[in-house]
Amino acid sequence: MSWVSRGWSLLRLNAFIAAVLLAIALLHRLGPGDEAQRVQWLAQSQGESMRYQSQFEAAPSSAAQALYIESLSGSIRVSLNGSLLAERRSKAEVPALGGSQPLLVPLPRALLYAGDNRLLVEQASPHSTSTFIGASYLGNEADLAPHFTQRQLLKHTLLIGIIIATLVLASLSLTLWLRRRHEKIYGWHVLTCLTGSLYCALPLNPFALPSLWLDALLLLLFLWFVVAAAWLGLCLAVTPQPKTWQRTRLIVWGGSAVILVTALVCTATQFRSALPWLYMSIIAVGAYTTSTVFWRQYFLRWDGTAFWMLGAVMCICLVALHDGALLLGLIAPDDGFWLAYGAPPPIIVFTALLLRRFVSALTEAESLNRELEQRVAAREAQIASSYQALQRAESERVVSAERERLFGDLHDGLGGTLVATLSRLSNEGAGDTPVAQGVQSALEDLRLTLDSLNPEERSLRAVLAPLRERLANACADAGMTLRFDLSQLGDDFELPKSQTLHLLRIVQEAAMNAVRHARARTLQIRLERQRSVTGAAVLEVCVDDDGCGLPATGADRPGHYGLATLRRRAAQLQGHVEWLPLQPGTRLYLRLPL
Amino acid sequence: MAGTSRVLVVEDEAQTRERLARAVSADPLLRLCGAAANCAEARVLFAEHRPQAVLIDLGLPDGSGATLIQELSALAPETLFMVITVFGDEAHVVEAIKAGASSYLLKDASALKVARAIHEMLAGGSPISPGVARYLLQRLQTPVEPKRAEPSAQLSSRERDVLGLVAKGYAYQEIGDALDVSVNTVGSHVKQIYRKLAVSSRGEAVYEAVQQGLISDLSSGRPH
């Protein structure tokens, strides 16, 4: 990433943080202007309570008058000229939702004097940095009421909305976590959302706890929220080291112990004065995590994830710093605490990151699933084909064994007898008689049958090889040259077994015809795969001789040279056979559909 | 008799024996030194004449032709054996080659072919069929156990090429053209291959014999 882009990124980061903080501040600054009179309070500490007094002259207007206090902490009693007008009970001291609510008190005309009127606000908690009274106004009730409603929307309804939204997110994460216990990150998200919402919601509906224990509980929730959020961010940004986990545990249990022990051993007053420091310590832990994890990640990665994480945690850090400063009495407590408004950005960002993680995990799982399905399908196909191959091999083995047995039988039986007969004929000088030729043909046909039966011999070229050798010998004996041209056939060209035998017989018969009758010098046999005119694949067989040619009437007298047999065999193959005259010689042309 | 080769015919069927004998006699460069009808006669004639070529049938009345080939080739390693078979099928041919034969011939071969085949064999060539080539490729190319694979029984790459082409159905002339060697060289490659099968078969027989406890383990030197 270039330095310019880094600069822009930093600028955008600052702009984002400033925008969020400005929005929070502006929301709190929407107060009445000139239409109301600002009340100046005289504060007075009185034992366990604070008294704020003010004197004013009632306006001459006939409209109903009211007192509007933007923000007020603790339990309150408001009285006018000695008569109690309003009362509110709240026990929390820690900056939480209930701690700084607006108040609108109508001033009954009957109680107002014409001259000086005395307003008294009693805060039923001793003076401390967390008890305060915000900006207060006197004016027409009709003018002040919209401001009160706005303020209540901001300080009450909006916060309840945030709490409910956070709880919804927590329950979603909880559902995920219960199904995927090993994914601890969802558990941390649940803890973050739950502690954050409880922290804000607890003072709304206070238990009957002494104020000290309520504060201690709130502090504990705050600590757990900060640690859970920091750990969640850490898990989202990096893979935390075991050392970091040990340190985190130390902070959680140590911090919780410190809070509990402080609550046990201190008096309410002492605890109250220790409160800001405990609170600031927790903020310090959060700030430390922010600087060591999120800033580092940001400077290392400069990517969108690091940007949003850092921006979001910086918002809550600065908001917490504001609240810390308020607790320590460093800034005026006009607007109350902001913490709840700083929490949504990190919760939103962390939830979005978690969601992205979940979605990408889901996508990955789906793609893995798909891949697995494909692999299973491929494997199944493989198994099926292996099974088929196995079946084929088995049937081949059976055929092979049968063929071997047949070979054995024929070798000693029929084959041996035919050979012996041939030998006898030859020995008796009848080797060239039609009888000898017939016996020879029978023997050759037996060989062709056995050749065509070989289950291992699939390619036509290999099936033809024994015939080719025998024809070569016959040609050599007859002083002829044999040319066998299979160059256009291809090594792996196969024919169904049923067709192979017919083809072998046709080739043998045509070749032997030429050897015996054509008085040729050369015999050429060519097998070729071709496309017919219609585009269908055909096998073309040419048996050419350069001999004397067929007798003129040969075609009309089929049967003379076994031509009828050849026709019949061709017809059995759905093929076509014809004899073409060559100069010199004859061509047997056979075309078989494939 | 210089220039002629002595040929012995061993065949039990009388008519075939006679025809083969006449075929040998008809060739001026071959001299028939006997025609035996069984193993016993063959042994006697062999010892007497020490033929250069023996035409032999595998199924003899008093024993197996393969055993006889083994026995006789041990006596005279320079003698060449040609098995005569009705079909030239790989079962018979391979059995003969394992025993030490270097050629095969169809029993009904013409007289001219008989003479041609003997001359080719004496010139160092061997015929081979696709089925036999496939058998040899499976058997010699991938030794199942290294222990059983003697280096002398392993095929050279050129020999594998030859076998591969034969198994696909190529003729010697086509193989010679494809590998750019003469037809005779192809034939002598095949002869070499046959010799290797015979050697590996002997090794195998010894190995199996050791496995079955027929022969004492040579390394341990003690009988089982």
Side-chain angles (χ1 to χ4, degrees):
Chain A
M1 201 183 195
S2 74
W3 289 105
V4 180
S5 332
R6 290 179 186 190
W8 275 112
S9 172
L10 259 176
L11 212 65
R12 279 202 306 273
L13 179 73
N14 284 314
F16 169 71
I17 298 165
V20 172
L21 293 180
L22 209 64
I24 297 171
L26 279 178
L27 277 174
H28 285 84
R29 288 293 167 202
L30 289 170
D34 297 336
E35 73 260 42
Q37 173 194 349
R38 179 92 191 238
V39 179
Q40 305 294 325
W41 296 108
L42 180 68
Q44 192 182 3
S45 181
Q46 205 172 66
E48 280 297 292
S49 66
M50 280 294 291
R51 292 165 66 89
Y52 303 93
Q53 291 184 59
S54 184
Q55 291 194 335
F56 70 98
E57 280 185 23
S61 143
S62 60
Q65 299 289 299
L67 168 70
Y68 167 50
I69 304 171
E70 282 189 333
S71 171
L72 198 60
S73 71
S75 303
I76 308 294
R77 287 163 64 93
V78 181
S79 19
L80 174 66
N81 297 329
S83 306
L84 183 65
L85 289 181
E87 190 168 12
R88 191 181 77 188
R89 295 187 178 281
S90 171
K91 288 181 174 171
E93 302 280 340
V94 172
L97 178 60
S100 54
Q101 288 296 304
L103 192 70
L104 181 71
V105 186
L107 304 178
R109 188 150 288 281
L111 292 176
L112 284 171
Y113 301 142
D116 274 358
N117 290 286
R118 234 158 34 92
L119 263 178
L120 173 67
V121 176
E122 285 173 290
Q123 217 168 15
S125 53
H127 176 71
S128 81
T129 47
S130 61
T131 56
F132 60 84
I133 188 163
S136 313
Y137 302 90
L138 278 171
N140 287 345
E141 192 181 348
D143 294 336
L144 291 173
H147 291 287
F148 170 73
T149 316
Q150 267 177 19
R151 191 82 180 175
Q152 208 177 26
L153 198 73
L154 174 69
K155 286 292 201 184
H156 194 262
T157 318
L158 179 62
L159 289 184
I160 290 177
I162 290 174
I163 289 167
I164 290 172
T166 315
L167 283 174
V168 169
L169 289 180
S171 56
L172 282 178
S173 285
L174 186 68
T175 320
L176 280 177
W177 183 57
L178 287 177
R179 281 157 194 257
R180 305 176 62 79
R181 289 292 182 82
H182 58 285
E183 296 263 30
K184 295 216 169 61
I185 197 158
Y186 296 112
W188 288 106
H189 188 250
V190 173
L191 193 64
T192 309
C193 293
L194 217 57
T195 48
S197 356
L198 278 180
Y199 172 73
C200 289
L202 199 58
L204 268 186
N205 189 13
F207 302 110
L209 280 172
S211 102
L212 184 146
W213 284 106
L214 185 64
D215 285 338
L217 190 62
L218 282 168
L219 261 185
L220 274 178
L221 281 174
F222 185 57
L223 172 71
W224 282 70
F225 166 72
V226 168
V227 173
W231 184 255
L232 174 66
L234 204 69
C235 291
L236 283 171
V238 290
T239 310
Q241 304 286 316
K243 196 177 67 185
T244 322
W245 173 235
Q246 281 172 6
R247 224 180 280 167
T248 310
R249 273 196 315 192
L250 188 75
I251 290 169
V252 173
W253 298 121
S256 307
V258 167
I259 292 168
L260 289 175
V261 167
T262 316
L264 275 172
V265 301
C266 291
T267 62
T269 323
Q270 284 169 330
F271 189 77
R272 217 171 285 129
S273 47
L275 210 56
W277 301 107
L278 289 171
Y279 184 75
M280 289 306 282
S281 311
I282 298 169
I283 292 175
V285 168
Y288 172 76
T289 317
T290 308
S291 61
T292 53
V293 177
F294 300 108
W295 278 104
R296 228 176 96 179
Q297 283 299 310
Y298 177 68
F299 287 133
L300 279 176
R301 290 158 54 169
W302 292 102
D303 64 357
T305 310
F307 173 91
W308 287 109
M309 285 177 83
L310 178 62
V313 296
M314 278 308 289
C315 290
I316 198 166
C317 274
L318 292 176
V319 164
L321 271 181
H322 165 271
D323 289 2
L326 199 152
L327 265 177
L328 289 170
L330 299 176
I331 54 174
D334 286 351
D335 303 318
F337 298 103
W338 286 2
L339 189 79
Y341 306 95
I347 294 220
I348 289 169
V349 168
F350 287 1
T351 307
L353 289 177
L354 206 62
L355 209 66
R356 196 174 72 179
R357 203 180 149 115
F358 180 71
V359 168
S360 72
L362 211 64
T363 315
E364 193 184 348
E366 275 172 0
S367 89
L368 278 177
N369 212 15
R370 261 199 306 278
E371 195 189 315
L372 202 69
E373 272 173 13
Q374 282 167 358
R375 279 166 63 176
V376 166
R379 190 81 190 146
E380 274 175 357
Q382 202 182 347
I383 289 171
S385 91
S386 301
Y387 181 69
Q388 280 176 352
L390 206 67
Q391 273 188 322
R392 207 167 43 233
E394 177 58 19
S395 81
E396 275 174 10
R397 199 190 59 74
V398 170
V399 174
S400 197
E402 191 56 20
R403 180 172 167 267
E404 215 159 280
R405 194 188 61 76
L406 205 62
F407 261 127
D409 288 353
L410 291 176
H411 200 273
D412 301 335
L414 182 59
T417 310
L418 288 174
V419 167
T421 310
L422 265 180
S423 298
R424 177 180 285 268
L425 287 169
S426 170
N427 292 339
E428 291 171 358
D432 287 330
T433 58
V435 177
Q437 280 181 13
V439 175
Q440 184 75 49
S441 298
L443 185 61
E444 296 298 347
D445 196 62
L446 192 58
R447 285 183 176 137
L448 291 185
T449 309
L450 292 168
D451 288 347
S452 72
L453 270 180
N454 192 344
E456 290 169 27
E457 217 77 273
R458 288 220 187 76
S459 92
L460 185 59
R461 183 187 268 275
V463 175
L464 278 169
L467 171 62
R468 187 178 175 176
E469 197 193 330
R470 291 195 294 272
L471 288 180
N473 280 319
C475 284
D477 290 349
M480 288 167 70
T481 311
L482 173 69
R483 286 201 210 101
F484 222 95
D485 182 6
L486 303 176
S487 56
Q488 303 300 313
L489 196 60
D491 286 356
D492 301 323
F493 177 77
E494 292 177 25
L495 267 189
K497 292 273 174 232
S498 55
Q499 291 190 0
T500 306
L501 180 57
H502 287 307
L503 181 70
L504 289 177
R505 279 171 169 162
I506 290 172
V507 172
Q508 169 167 284
E509 208 152 323
M512 287 313 290
N513 273 345
V515 170
R516 282 176 191 149
H517 308 293
R519 296 192 296 281
R521 273 174 299 159
T522 312
L523 179 63
Q524 177 161 331
I525 300 172
R526 186 168 54 82
L527 281 85
E528 198 170 333
R529 268 178 102 176
Q530 284 286 359
R531 293 260 156 219
S532 72
V533 278
T534 56
V538 292
L539 179 69
E540 276 186 359
V541 182
C542 291
V543 181
D544 298 356
D545 68 68
D546 56 355
C548 58
L550 283 179
T553 50
D556 303 330
R557 294 188 295 118
H560 182 65
Y561 293 136
L563 304 191
T565 322
L566 283 172
R567 278 221 173 84
R568 187 168 44 78
R569 293 201 197 287
Q572 278 168 333
L573 291 170
Q574 274 90 45
H576 164 78
V577 68
E578 59 185 310
W579 286 266
L580 307 167
L582 298 175
Q583 292 303 327
T586 311
R587 161 175 294 178
L588 173 131
Y589 174 76
L590 171 72
R591 197 176 63 233
L592 296 183
L594 292 177
Chain B
M1 221 188 280
T4 60
S5 306
R6 294 179 302 281
V7 180
L8 174 65
V9 174
V10 187
E11 161 68 54
D12 59 327
E13 206 279 311
Q15 294 292 344
T16 310
R17 186 170 66 242
E18 190 190 328
R19 202 172 60 82
L20 290 171
R22 284 197 299 117
V24 172
S25 306
D27 192 277
L29 293 176
L30 302 175
R31 190 169 66 83
L32 181 75
C33 61
N38 52 47
C39 296
E41 280 179 31
R43 285 192 195 96
V44 173
L45 285 169
F46 189 87
E48 194 179 325
H49 298 287
R50 284 297 166 121
Q52 277 122 331
V54 179
L55 268 59
I56 186 167
D57 185 20
L58 287 186
L60 293 170
D62 59 344
S64 146
T67 319
L68 188 62
I69 292 174
Q70 248 171 347
E71 183 190 324
L72 297 182
S73 63
L75 284 175
E78 72 285 353
T79 304
L80 298 172
F81 292 85
M82 176 182 285
V83 68
I84 40 180
T85 143
V86 178
F87 299 112
D89 52 299
E90 56 265 30
H92 280 95
V93 174
V94 166
E95 189 191 349
I97 293 166
K98 277 181 170 177
S102 50
S103 184
Y104 67 89
L105 181 69
L106 297 182
K107 276 192 182 181
D108 62 324
S110 66
L112 290 171
K113 168 63 190 168
V114 172
R116 250 193 341 266
I118 296 172
H119 286 304
E120 274 167 20
M121 179 174 76
L122 290 170
S126 292
I128 187 168
S129 70
V132 173
R134 209 179 28 249
Y135 174 90
L136 293 175
L137 272 177
Q138 288 164 358
R139 203 53 179 271
L140 294 178
Q141 196 173 16
T142 50
V144 183
E145 288 173 56
K147 193 177 171 182
R148 292 163 74 167
E150 290 176 43
S152 61
Q154 282 177 2
L155 295 178
S156 72
S157 67
R158 179 43 64 98
E159 286 163 355
R160 267 199 295 276
D161 293 344
V162 169
L163 280 185
L165 289 169
V166 172
K168 283 179 181 168
Y170 283 81
Y172 277 12
Q173 184 61 57
E174 290 166 324
I175 296 172
D177 292 346
L179 302 179
D180 206 14
V181 293
S182 72
V183 179
N184 288 340
T185 313
V186 178
S188 55
H189 276 310
V190 172
K191 192 185 174 188
Q192 272 303 309
I193 296 165
Y194 281 178
R195 200 189 53 78
K196 288 180 177 181
L197 176 67
V199 168
S200 89
S201 306
R202 278 200 291 279
E204 207 167 85
V206 170
Y207 175 84
E208 271 162 20
V210 170
Q211 290 292 302
Q212 290 165 8
L214 297 176
I215 301 177
S216 66
D217 194 329
L218 301 173
S219 57
S220 71
R222 73 185 155 78
H224 287 273

